[in-house]
Amino acid sequence: MISTTTVSDLYITFGLIGVFLAGMIAVLYATNRKSDSFSDYAVGGRSYGPWFIAMCYTNSWWPGATFTAFFALSVGGALGFYGMVYATLGVTAMYLMANRAWTWGKRFNLTTQPDLLGMRFNSPVVKRIASIIGIISVFPWVVMGIQALATLFQFASFGRWGVTTCLLVGVAVILIRQYWTVSMGMRGLIMTDMYQGLIAYVLCAALCIFLMFGAQASFSNLSQLPASMLVIPGGTGSTYGPMYMFSLIFTGVIGSMCWPMSFQRIYTASGVRSVKKGTLLTILLVGGFYGILMLFAAAISQAPNVAAHPQHGWFLSLFDIGGPWLLAVAIMIVLAASIGHVDGCVQVCGTQFANDLATWNTPRSDREKTILAKAGMVVFIAAASLLAYLTFDYARLQLLAQISYQGIIQLAVPLFFGVFSRRGNKQGAIAGMLVGIVIAIVLTTIYPDDIPGLGSLTSGIVGLIFNAGIFVACAVAIKPSAEEVRRVDELFAMAAPQRHPAGVAPAMS
C-alpha cells in the first residue's frame, strides 16, 4: 500500500473523486425525468440510440474488478487476454438476438430477461427460475465491485483508512448513487453510464496508450517478457488440462447475453437498428478497451511493486509513473467503472425481484413494484457488503467471477433455443435449468476452478451438457399442442425481418 506524509496528496485524490461525483450528479440533475410507468422506469422508455446502448452495455460488462482481478491475470501471464476473446465474440449474440428480443419486448411490454423466457415458453415458472438464477449469479459481481471501491479508497487515503472504513465509504457512495437509481430508474443509469464510460474506458484506453510510449511501461517491454508469462493454460508447462481455455472462452461467449443487466440493454433501445448499430460500437469499446488495458498490464508486469502486488498493480504502476496526480486519475477511472457496474447490477436485480418474483401469487401495481424494487436493492447491497468484507483478501478474486459464470450459463439453453428455434417446451426449460444449476453448484463446491479428471472442464460446462440434453429430450418426447404451435409461429412471424420488393421503398414512420 502506498503511504504519504503530505496532506496535499489527500486533497489531490479525494478532490478528483469529488469532481467526478459532482459531474455525475450534474448529469443526473440535467436529465432527471419522472417515469410514467414501471416499464418506463425499468427500460427507459425504449428510446436510446446506438452510442448510449454501446456505452451502457460496456459499463455492464467491465466492472471495477477489471482493474484489480483481471489486471492481475495479465500481470501473471497470458490468461488475462482470454477476456478480450470471449467479450468480442459474445457481444455478437446481441446483434443476432436483436430483432426478436426487441420486437417481443416492445410488443409484450417486457422489462426483464426472465420476462422474455416466461413469455416464450408460456410459463411463469420458467420466468421465476431464470430470475433466481440470474440474481444469484450477479451477486459475486456486486461483491467484487464493492471490493474494488474499497481498494480505491484505500489508495485514495494512502493506507490511512482500514478495510472496514473503506468498505463503508464505498457502500455509502453506492447508496448515494442508488438514490438516483431509485428515483430515475433506467434513464438515470443510461445517462450516467455514458458519462462514466467515457472516463472508465475511453480515457483509460487513451492513458494506457500514452503511457506505453513512455519508459516504464513501454511497448518494448512486451518483447522481453519471461517465457513463463507466455504459457497458455492447458499448454506445455501448464498445470491445467487441455479443456480449460475452451471452458473459459466458451462459457464467456454463451454467457454474454445470459447476464440480465446486459440483456436488459436491448429493451432500452429505440429500435432494432439501434441495437444492431450499438452492438458494432460495443465490440469496438469492449474489445478495444480491454485489450489495451491488458497490454499495459503485461508491459508493466515486471515492475517490482506490480509483480509483488498484482491485484493492486493498476494503482501502484500509475503512482510510480506519475505520483499522486496520476494515482488520482487511476482511482477516478476505477470509481467510474465500479459505480456504474454495481449500480446496474443492483438495479436489474431489484427490478427482477419486483417484476418476476414478488408477483408470484399476487399481481402488483406499478407503485408496489417500485417499492419492492427499492427494498430488494437495499437487501442486495447489504448482503454483498458483508461478503465483500469477509472475502476482501481472497487471493484469487477472479474465481468469484468464473464461479458466477457456471450458474449464469444455465440460462443459455432456454434463451438461445427460445430465441433462435421454435423447438422446445416449458417442461424442458424448467427441468434443464434446475438440473444444470444443481450440478453446477455441487461441482463448483467441490471444484471451484476446474475439474482435473475431465481435462480441466469447468463445472458449468458439465451442468450445461445435462441442461441441454434434458431440454432436447423433452422437446422430442413431449409434442406441443396445435394451439402452442400456432402461438410460437405467431411470435416468430411478428419478429420476422420486413422484406420489401425491389424498387419499393419502405414507408417512413
Side-chain angles (χ1 to χ4, degrees), residues 8 67 135 150 253 286 327 342 503:
S8 61
F67 298 88
I135 291 172
V253 170
V286 167
L327 173 64
V342 171

Side-chain angles (χ1 to χ4, degrees), residues 370-396:
T370 303
I371 293 172
L372 288 166
K374 295 176 185 179
M377 291 176 192
V378 172
V379 172
F380 201 73
I381 277 288
S385 301
L386 176 61
L387 191 60
Y389 177 79
L390 296 175
T391 62
F392 190 76
D393 292 320
Y394 188 34
R396 295 191 63 188

Side-chain angles (χ1 to χ4, degrees), residues 89-106:
L89 290 176
V91 171
T92 59
M94 184 163 73
Y95 185 94
L96 299 174
M97 285 185 179
N99 204 56
R100 288 170 186 160
W102 189 89
T103 302
W104 291 345
K106 176 73 172 178

Side-chain angles (χ1 to χ4, degrees), residues 61-62 65-66 68-87 228-233 240 244-245 248-249 286-287 289-298 396 398 402:
W61 191 265
W62 293 129
T66 308
T68 53
F70 288 89
F71 191 93
L73 283 180
S74 281
V75 169
L79 178 58
F81 287 90
Y82 91 95
M84 184 173 65
V85 178
Y86 83 72
S228 59
M229 284 191 64
L230 305 180
V231 174
I232 301 295
Y240 289 104
Y244 188 65
M245 281 300 291
L248 291 183
I249 294 174
V286 167
F289 152 75
Y290 187 83
I292 291 168
L293 179 64
M294 293 303 107
L295 282 174
F296 175 78
R396 295 191 63 188
Q398 90 284 352
Q402 293 173 5

Side-chain angles (χ1 to χ4, degrees), residues 42 65 73 113 124 129 146 223 286 325 335 341 384 396 425 440 465:
L73 283 180
Q113 179 199 63
I129 292 173
I146 292 173
S223 65
V286 167
W325 279 104
L335 179 59
H341 187 269
R396 295 191 63 188
N425 49 55
I465 292 170

